Amino acid sequence: MNSKKVNWVFLCLILLNLALYALMFICYAKGIALFDIGIVTNLLISQLIILSPAFLFMLASGKKTETGRLNEMLGFQKIKVSSFFMVLLFTFLIMPMSTALNAISMLFVDNTVNAISGDVLQMPFPVMLFMIGIFGPFCEEFVFRGIIFRGYKKSGSVFWAVFWSALLFGLMHLNFNQAAYAIALGIMFALLVEATGSLWSSMIAHMVFNSWQVCIMYLAEFIPTELVEPEMELTQDLLIMAIGPYLLIAAVATPLAVCVLIWLSKNEKREAWFCSICARRKEKKEAMVSIPLVIAIVLCLAVMSMEYIMALFAG
């Protein structure tokens, strides 16, 4: 799959999301409880929307879809046991960067994950661990690092494939809060795939990252209420105070994560290829940007801006 098909995949993904939003709005306006669904069904539908365009385009391509062919096309290559443990280390090293970017975005927009935390905590822990920590990352990595990133690589340099796949990964969330750190994570996950040569590495990292967040969410429920001030609000002053330490930690942890990437590339015997990413950034085979991609990006930014404006008025 090349960049042109990849751009169509992303546009279809966004159009499906917008169609669902429109249907939900119409049902809400008419008082129809059609979409009064639980968090599990909501998450399942969201991931199916991500997967379905990619599968349809894969089938429409007319190529064989045997296991061996899929492994070759998507990059499901084995990695060494030592690499597996270093991927775990890499995942925890990029968490401070994600937290810092999340906190910075919260100076301007609400935390989207916190908004659904109540619904999440009403469900059994194993169910949410699977849906958010396993199933979600598998679907997203399959599409964004398996199909979109590799599709862009066929059309141009790895440098721009990393950039565009990460940007689309961030925009896919359709809100400024998650987009702020999802783009950075998308870059790191794509570099991880390039360092190891395997999609399994980014899937493992993404699963560990999300599973850790789910665990933290549930563990927070066990904090004694007397240790928490019930009327304490997260003001901008408190956010700014929190951002400083996280930026300092991220300033140390993120370069260490890059060092882990370099180690992984050596361990998987991909050092020369990985280190040539920036050197080959001007390499072009065909244009990556096309009209479907521009339309999709404009739609994403429009939805995100509308959500931001509505939140301002609601506040």
Side-chain angles (χ1 to χ4, degrees):
M1 192 176 294
N2 58 21
S3 62
K4 291 180 180 179
K5 291 181 180 179
V6 162
N7 292 341
W8 276 107
V9 167
F10 186 68
L11 176 59
C12 291
L13 186 160
I14 298 303
L15 290 175
L16 280 174
N17 264 304
L18 296 183
L20 182 62
Y21 287 169
L23 186 57
M24 292 174 65
F25 178 78
I26 292 171
C27 291
Y28 177 80
K30 293 188 175 182
I32 303 173
L34 179 63
F35 283 92
D36 187 14
I37 58 179
I39 184 69
V40 174
T41 306
N42 195 319
L43 291 171
L44 181 61
I45 291 173
S46 299
Q47 297 306 324
L48 290 179
I49 285 176
I50 292 173
L51 279 177
S52 54
F55 271 117
L56 288 175
F57 272 84
M58 285 174 64
L59 292 174
S61 66
K63 295 181 179 179
K64 295 181 180 180
T65 56
E66 290 91 348
T67 302
R69 178 64 184 173
L70 283 175
N71 287 346
E72 179 186 348
M73 183 168 60
L74 300 173
F76 283 112
Q77 308 297 330
K78 293 181 181 179
I79 60 174
K80 297 178 180 179
V81 175
S82 55
S83 293
F84 169 80
F85 287 107
M86 292 301 283
V87 167
L88 297 183
L89 174 61
F90 170 83
T91 306
F92 284 98
L93 287 173
I94 63 175
M95 286 183 182
M97 171 195 69
S98 172
T99 304
L101 291 173
N102 182 35
I104 291 171
S105 72
M106 287 170 62
L107 293 172
F108 311 98
V109 294
D110 293 331
N111 188 310
T112 307
V113 176
N114 279 350
I116 65 168
S117 61
D119 294 329
V120 170
L121 293 173
Q122 289 178 3
M123 301 300 299
F125 171 72
V127 175
M128 288 294 96
L129 183 64
F130 173 76
M131 291 302 300
I132 298 176
I134 306 297
F135 182 65
F138 177 86
C139 295
E140 292 173 8
E141 291 305 310
F142 181 90
V143 174
F144 284 92
R145 254 64 65 182
I147 293 177
I148 292 180
F149 174 59
R150 292 179 72 86
Y152 280 136
K153 276 177 64 177
K154 289 182 179 180
S155 300
S157 69
V158 177
F159 179 89
W160 289 109
V162 169
F163 171 79
W164 284 112
S165 62
L167 178 65
L168 300 192
F169 179 60
L171 292 176
M172 175 270 298
H173 292 84
L174 294 175
N175 65 81
F176 286 113
N177 171 243
Q178 287 178 291
Y181 57 86
I183 292 173
L185 288 175
I187 291 172
M188 300 305 283
F189 288 154
L191 290 175
L192 181 61
V193 170
E194 200 59 24
T196 60
S198 174
L199 182 62
W200 285 121
S201 60
S202 67
M203 282 191 173
I204 293 167
H206 199 157
M207 288 176 183
V208 171
F209 185 94
N210 279 24
S211 297
W212 179 257
Q213 303 306 316
V214 174
C215 291
I216 293 297
M217 195 180 297
Y218 277 85
L219 286 173
E221 289 294 289
F222 292 95
I223 298 177
T225 54
E226 58 268 18
L227 298 179
V228 181
E229 296 183 29
E231 296 183 359
M232 184 177 179
E233 294 184 1
L234 189 60
T235 63
Q236 286 206 343
D237 289 338
L238 286 174
L239 267 176
I240 292 171
M241 289 175 61
I243 289 170
Y246 271 112
L247 282 176
L248 288 175
I249 297 172
V252 175
T254 306
L256 289 176
V258 174
C259 292
V260 172
L261 286 176
I262 295 172
W263 185 94
L264 283 167
S265 68
K266 292 180 180 179
N267 197 48
E268 295 294 334
K269 298 181 173 21
R270 290 178 56 85
E271 182 182 8
W273 179 258
F274 178 70
C275 293
S276 68
I277 291 176
C278 289
R280 299 170 58 190
R281 65 184 181 277
K282 294 183 179 180
E283 176 184 306
K284 289 185 179 180
K285 299 175 185 176
E286 60 183 69
M288 290 186 177
V289 179
S290 60
I291 292 176
L293 179 62
V294 174
I295 294 173
I297 292 175
V298 170
L299 287 173
C300 289
L301 293 175
V303 171
M304 293 160 70
S305 299
M306 286 178 61
E307 183 189 52
Y308 175 69
I309 294 170
M310 290 172 65
L312 285 179
F313 280 107

